[in-house]
Amino acid sequence: MIGDPITYQLKTDDTVTFVLMGCVFLITMALMMMGKPWGRKIGQLPFFNFRQNDLMVTETPGGIQPFLIAQMALAVGILLFSISLRMIPEVVELPLPSVMMLAAYVALATVFLAIRWLSYKFVLWMFVPSGQIPLIMESWINSVCFEGVLLLPFLLIVIYYNIPFTLFVFLLFIITFFPRFWLFYWLKKLFCPNLYGSMLIFLYFCALEMVPLALVVIGTQKLNRYLLFYY
C-alpha cells in the first residue's frame, strides 16, 4: 500500500538549506574581515554616522560589501521563492528541480538590486553635487547590506516555523521599512535640514524605492506565469 506523498516544504529542501548555509557563510566572512570590536566598527559606517562636520570618517571596512550584497541577493531569492509558494501553490507541482527554480528567483533578485543601484546612481548624478555622491551611495549600499542581514533570521523563522501569512507580512514590512526609514533620516539630517529639501528627498526617495519594488513584483508574477505555462 502506497501512502500519500509528503507535501513539499522549504525546510525539507536540501537546496534551500544549502543556500541558507551560504548566507551564513557570507555574513561570517564579512564579520571576520571587519575584525574586532565589531560594534565600534559598525558604528563608524556611513549608515550610522551622523556627524556633519567629519564626513571623511565614514569608510566601510574594506572588502565586506561584496559578501553582504551577495548574501542579500540569495536572501531575496529565497524570499521570492517562499512568497511564490504561498501565493501560488501550483508552483510546487512543477516538474523542475528546486535548484533551477531557486536560481531563477536569485537571478531576479540580482536584477532587482542592479536596478536599484542604477536608479540611485542616475538620480544622484542628475541632482546631487558630485562630491556628495560617494557618501550617499556608500550609505545606501550599507543600508542594503543591513537589510540583507535582517532578512536571514526572518527567513529562518519563516522556513522552519511556518508562521501565519499575516505575521509573515507584518515582519517583512518591519524588516524592509526600518533600513529605508533610517537611510531617509540620515540623508535628511545630513543634507536637507529645511522643510523644502526634506520634501524633495522624500519624493525622490519614495520613487527610487517604490519603482524597483513594483518592478520586482511584476517580474515575480511574470516568472511564475512563465514557469506555469511552459512547465
Side-chain angles (χ1 to χ4, degrees):
M1 180 177 179
I2 300 177
D4 296 331
I6 299 176
T7 305
Y8 175 82
Q9 293 181 334
L10 290 175
K11 63 182 178 181
T12 60
D13 192 326
D14 293 338
T15 301
V16 174
T17 302
F18 179 78
V19 174
L20 288 174
M21 291 177 61
C23 291
V24 175
F25 173 78
L26 291 171
I27 293 177
T28 303
M29 290 296 297
L31 291 176
M32 289 177 61
M33 295 185 67
M34 184 179 293
K36 295 181 180 179
W38 297 333
R40 183 182 304 172
K41 294 190 176 183
I42 290 175
Q44 295 176 353
L45 298 181
F47 188 53
F48 297 100
N49 191 348
F50 291 96
R51 288 175 291 183
Q52 296 186 7
N53 298 324
D54 191 13
L55 300 182
M56 300 305 295
V57 189
T58 55
E59 183 179 357
T60 304
I64 71 170
Q65 287 182 344
F67 290 97
L68 296 179
I69 291 174
Q71 186 269 331
M72 174 66 171
L74 293 177
V76 174
I78 297 178
L79 179 63
L80 295 178
F81 190 26
S82 175
I83 293 175
S84 298
L85 294 181
R86 285 175 176 265
M87 302 299 295
I88 310 176
E90 292 81 4
V91 174
V92 179
E93 302 175 1
L94 294 177
L96 281 175
S98 59
V99 62
M100 293 182 60
M101 297 180 63
L102 192 55
Y105 290 107
V106 171
L108 182 61
T110 304
V111 172
F112 166 62
L113 292 176
I115 291 175
R116 288 180 65 191
W117 182 82
L118 290 173
S119 63
Y120 264 89
K121 289 286 287 187
F122 176 74
V123 172
L124 293 177
W125 174 71
M126 290 288 293
F127 300 106
V128 177
S130 59
Q132 296 177 350
I133 292 178
L135 180 62
I136 298 176
M137 288 302 300
E138 183 84 359
S139 303
W140 175 78
I141 292 174
N142 282 308
S143 71
V144 171
C145 296
F146 183 64
E147 184 179 1
V149 173
L150 289 179
L151 277 177
L152 181 58
F154 169 72
L155 289 174
L156 294 175
I157 294 173
V158 168
I159 291 174
Y160 291 101
Y161 291 95
N162 195 24
I163 62 176
F165 185 73
T166 304
L167 182 58
F168 173 86
V169 174
F170 175 75
L171 292 177
L172 181 61
F173 174 79
I174 295 297
I175 289 172
T176 55
F177 174 79
F178 179 74
R180 287 163 176 80
F181 174 78
W182 194 274
L183 180 61
F184 169 72
Y185 176 74
W186 188 88
L187 294 176
K188 175 183 178 300
K189 183 179 178 65
L190 192 59
F191 297 110
C192 296
N194 58 77
L195 178 62
Y196 177 72
S198 300
M199 291 179 63
L200 289 178
I201 279 232
F202 178 76
L203 291 175
Y204 105 82
F205 187 81
C206 289
L208 290 177
E209 291 297 332
M210 295 306 295
V211 171
L213 184 60
L215 291 177
V216 78
V217 171
I218 295 173
T220 304
Q221 291 177 343
K222 290 187 177 296
L223 175 60
N224 291 333
R225 290 176 183 174
Y226 175 83
L227 293 175
L228 292 174
F229 183 78
Y230 287 99
Y231 297 95

